[in-house]
Amino acid sequence: MAMALAMAQRHTHRRKQALNKALGLEEKPIRLRAHPKGRQVSAKDKFALHDILGGPARQRTLLIEYLHQIQDAEACLPLHLLSALAADLNMAQAEVYEVASFYHHFDVVREGETRPPALTLRVCNGLSCALEGSEALIKTMKDVLGGNIRVQAVPCVGRCDAAPVAVLGQNPIGRANQSAILAAVSAKAYKAPMPDALDYKTYVQQGGYQLLEALHQGSRADEAIIAALEVSGLRGLGGAGFPVYRKWNILRQQPAPRYMAVNIDEGEPGTFKDRYYLERDPHRFLEGMLIAAKVTGISAIWIYLRDEYAHCRQLLERELKALQAQAPCPIPEISLRRGAGAYICGEESAMIESIEGKRGVPRLRPPYVAEHGLYGRPTLEHNMESLYWIRDIVERGGHWFASQGLRGRKGLRSFSVSGRVNKPGVHLAPAGITVSELIKGYAGGMLEGHSFYAYLPGGASGGILPASMGDIPLDFDTLNPHGAFIGSAAIIVLSDKDRASDAARNLMQFFEHESCGQCTPCRVGTNKMNQLIAHDQWDQALIHELSQTMIDASICGLGQAAPNPVLLVMKHFAHEVS
């Protein structure tokens, strides 16, 4: 490279000499550079990178995986190793840097900067954990641990049923307090324990993968599978609610090759249902995924798992290896990708960008991912739980699933319930149940001394409603007339000890932190909104104007939905902000 550049410089110099001579101009001597501009990569840096990543055969699309390997080995991303990685991948150093600096779980360290401690304690300050005193815990642990262990406040880590939650290294500590954290530090418990899930052998012994095998053998027809899904009324359970059978039919009409991307990046505060099912029965999801792949003609699959679920990643790696070694029939290539702490990657096109090794920035639509998704190919994108129900629906019949609903609604919903209830957790209940029924019949009622005051029907994005509206059926579309939505069915319950306005402040700080920054309405709007609601009295006219701008002009759902909690607080809890 350097030799080619020097030759080009000499050629240019000779042409300039000839031109100056023809024009009678005086020549000025120039000095040729011995090497290209920019940061130079030493042999030492190349060897250090090789020691971490192994052999030289690397792919540009695996950039984020390589960054994880460096971060795991060094507890940070030293700039000299990023430069070596850029050279290895034949990428601009700026391009590697912009990806590394985009994700919260990567720590880029420039020359002369002090490296962070090798161990980090992450304490969740999401709404459910904040209700349980996580802010005070963060301050306490910073004082107690000093500079030996870095203490960070982080967004929801997907364990709201055990709030407050701290994560020591990769080990989650539920119901965290000072003594529990110090005990984990003393025991050097930095790794997440492997879940006691149904393994491949046991799943097969219990009839697993027979449906997939029958499908491949032709004793089950693709059209019969789609018909069962249509009758069932199954909709996308990641939050969008698009009918599953329609999505499959759209993909079947697209040209091959077709790909699949599975979204297990459940970063919506209050949501933990995907983790719950993965920890118990991962192959039910995997079989549903492979059935979807067979019916829609998928040739390759990518599973995108949030980085906070390190224990689920270990489990999936083990079970995918067992499945691929003893597959009951031909299956597509399956790749497991690791998120890096970015809520925006729950948006389908941002997730696809991340899988491709880029910043998780949402794409403009159209085209939609069903037409132009992963690597430009038609892509079937699904939430993990949507696929989890496929086997049960086909084996029991679409009418079985559809009949589970209440008040004219269809199907079952996995409600992630947290907050001021006696039994937080994932509660499987009929679609159309009300939050009052859910609290009383499934979540063990309100905590002693607490009265039902308000609830979030769909995590941070779904808005905040008062207890007086606790009789609205919970399902897709039923909450829309009230300015709210169910999303991923994350229910956070507030009591008379809480303030809805404080909850809105917590959520808006989350949105500002997680905005990808691509579009001005979201990037600037979330910041300005936080300034406006920081006061006891809110400028409601200005907030409405700002909210409308964010809703109308933001590129993706983050900026469009971010004002929801604030708008509903002004509508239903005006006494708190007037």
Side-chain angles (χ1 to χ4, degrees):
M1 178 71 180
M3 183 180 295
L5 179 62
M7 291 177 64
Q9 289 174 336
R10 291 189 184 96
H11 178 69
T12 302
H13 178 52
R14 286 194 292 268
R15 291 184 62 189
K16 187 176 180 180
Q17 281 181 319
L19 181 61
N20 286 340
K21 185 176 181 180
L23 296 174
L25 299 176
E26 180 182 354
E27 281 192 45
K28 293 182 180 179
I30 65 170
R31 185 174 62 186
L32 300 179
R33 289 192 297 272
H35 51 71
K37 287 183 178 180
R39 181 183 300 276
Q40 302 307 302
V41 179
S42 68
K44 179 181 177 181
D45 294 341
K46 293 180 180 179
F47 284 125
L49 183 70
H50 184 276
D51 287 341
I52 296 171
L53 301 183
R58 281 185 265 283
Q59 303 173 39
R60 161 67 180 83
T61 57
L62 294 176
L63 172 59
I64 293 173
E65 298 297 311
Y66 300 143
L67 294 175
H68 272 303
Q69 291 180 47
I70 298 171
Q71 176 86 27
D72 291 343
E74 300 284 328
C76 64
L77 295 177
L79 200 57
H80 66 92
L81 289 181
L82 294 185
S83 299
L85 181 59
D88 217 25
L89 295 172
N90 195 26
M91 294 174 61
Q93 294 182 20
E95 189 177 5
V96 172
Y97 179 85
E98 74 171 4
V99 173
S101 59
F102 179 85
Y103 296 93
H104 301 313
H105 287 189
F106 294 143
D107 298 299
V108 179
V109 177
R110 302 170 186 83
E111 290 179 0
E113 291 184 341
T114 303
R115 289 192 176 204
L119 186 62
T120 296
L121 175 73
R122 295 183 171 94
V123 183
C124 176
N125 66 355
L127 179 56
S128 298
C129 287
L131 295 175
E132 298 296 333
S134 64
E135 293 293 347
L137 180 62
I138 292 167
K139 294 177 182 178
T140 298
M141 297 318 301
K142 284 183 176 180
D143 293 337
V144 171
L145 295 177
N148 297 324
I149 297 176
R150 179 175 55 168
V151 179
Q152 285 184 329
V154 298
C156 182
V157 296
R159 294 182 173 274
C160 316
D161 52 333
V165 180
V167 183
L168 183 66
Q170 294 183 342
N171 182 29
I173 304 169
R175 312 291 181 199
N177 54 37
Q178 179 179 333
S179 60
I181 293 171
L182 292 179
V185 171
S186 178
K188 297 184 178 180
Y190 309 147
K191 296 290 185 181
M194 181 77 78
D196 185 20
L198 204 65
D199 62 14
Y200 178 73
K201 181 179 179 181
T202 307
Y203 182 77
V204 170
Q205 290 173 345
Q206 295 180 2
Y209 291 109
Q210 289 182 6
L211 176 58
L212 177 65
E213 194 170 3
L215 193 61
H216 275 268
Q217 291 174 350
S219 55
R220 289 270 192 171
D222 294 350
E223 289 71 19
I225 303 290
I226 293 178
L229 293 177
E230 182 176 3
V231 170
S232 74
L234 181 66
R235 297 172 67 169
L237 297 174
F242 193 81
V244 170
Y245 85 94
R246 286 181 57 194
K247 185 178 286 191
W248 289 20
N249 277 332
I250 290 171
L251 257 293
R252 281 157 58 94
Q253 296 169 10
Q254 303 303 314
R258 310 179 192 105
Y259 297 152
M260 181 190 294
V262 182
N263 191 338
I264 322 181
D265 192 60
E266 56 174 359
E268 185 72 32
T271 310
F272 47 93
K273 62 183 179 63
D274 292 351
R275 172 186 61 80
Y276 174 87
Y277 287 121
L278 273 179
E279 290 175 340
R280 288 157 177 79
D281 197 356
H283 285 282
R284 193 168 297 269
F285 142 64
L286 292 174
E287 183 170 10
M289 177 185 76
L290 292 173
I291 290 169
K294 169 63 175 64
V295 172
T296 57
I298 300 297
S299 57
I301 301 171
W302 285 261
I303 301 174
Y304 190 85
L305 179 68
R306 72 179 309 199
D307 196 32
E308 289 84 350
Y309 292 170
H311 64 302
C312 288
R313 185 172 65 254
Q314 297 168 26
L315 173 66
L316 278 176
E317 287 172 346
R318 185 189 73 187
E319 296 308 312
L320 282 172
K321 184 177 180 180
L323 169 63
Q324 290 163 336
Q326 304 178 55
C329 53
I331 62 175
E333 180 183 353
I334 304 171
S335 301
L336 181 60
R337 288 287 192 271
R338 181 178 174 184
Y343 166 74
I344 191 64
C345 289
E347 196 276 339
E348 61 179 7
S349 64
M351 176 190 66
I352 285 174
E353 290 287 297
S354 188
I355 291 173
E356 293 180 355
K358 307 170 188 174
R359 295 180 304 145
V361 175
R363 297 175 179 177
L364 292 171
R365 292 175 288 184
Y368 296 93
V369 299
E371 302 166 320
H372 187 92
L374 268 167
Y375 308 111
R377 300 306 309 163
T379 301
L380 177 65
E381 191 274 343
H382 263 313
N383 169 256
M384 174 263 170
E385 196 203 348
S386 304
L387 298 168
Y388 182 89
W389 288 109
I390 300 298
R391 177 187 164 190
D392 282 321
I393 287 172
V394 175
E395 289 183 341
R396 300 187 186 193
H399 291 289
W400 163 80
F401 189 80
S403 66
Q404 302 297 317
L406 298 173
R407 302 179 177 93
R409 313 308 298 180
K410 290 185 177 182
L412 296 164
R413 294 290 174 269
S414 302
F415 293 97
S416 303
V417 183
S418 61
R420 308 299 194 180
V421 295
N422 282 308
K423 291 173 59 179
V426 173
H427 297 292
L428 186 62
I433 193 172
T434 69
V435 72
S436 297
E437 293 169 338
L438 189 64
I439 293 171
K440 184 178 180 180
Y442 291 81
M446 298 294 294
L447 289 173
E448 185 176 354
H450 291 255
S451 298
F452 182 30
Y453 177 62
Y455 68 106
L456 284 71
S461 306
I464 305 175
L465 296 174
S468 60
M469 299 177 70
D471 58 351
I472 301 172
L474 296 174
D475 196 17
F476 299 111
D477 312 321
T478 58
L479 294 157
N480 295 9
H482 307 283
F485 58 85
I486 191 171
S488 58
I491 309 292
I492 304 177
V493 180
L494 306 181
S495 78
D496 56 341
K497 312 293 184 185
D498 308 310
R499 286 169 53 88
S501 56
D502 289 338
R505 291 185 183 99
N506 177 284
L507 301 175
M508 190 53 63
Q509 289 166 8
F510 167 80
F511 287 128
E512 180 182 1
H513 183 261
E514 294 299 321
S515 173
C516 75
Q518 178 181 199
C519 65
T520 303
C522 178
R523 181 184 67 251
V524 178
T526 51
N527 176 270
K528 181 62 176 178
M529 187 73 80
N530 271 316
Q531 297 175 34
L532 291 173
I533 66 175
H535 307 289
D536 291 334
Q537 290 187 326
W538 293 1
D539 184 341
Q540 298 193 29
L542 185 56
I543 288 174
H544 275 290
E545 183 179 350
L546 175 61
S547 298
Q548 197 60 52
T549 300
M550 294 174 67
I551 293 168
D552 291 342
S554 294
I555 289 174
C556 81
L558 192 158
Q560 294 164 9
N564 285 353
V566 174
L567 292 172
L568 289 176
V569 164
M570 292 191 298
K571 182 176 182 180
H572 298 295
F573 306 91
H575 61 282
E576 293 189 16
V577 297
S578 299

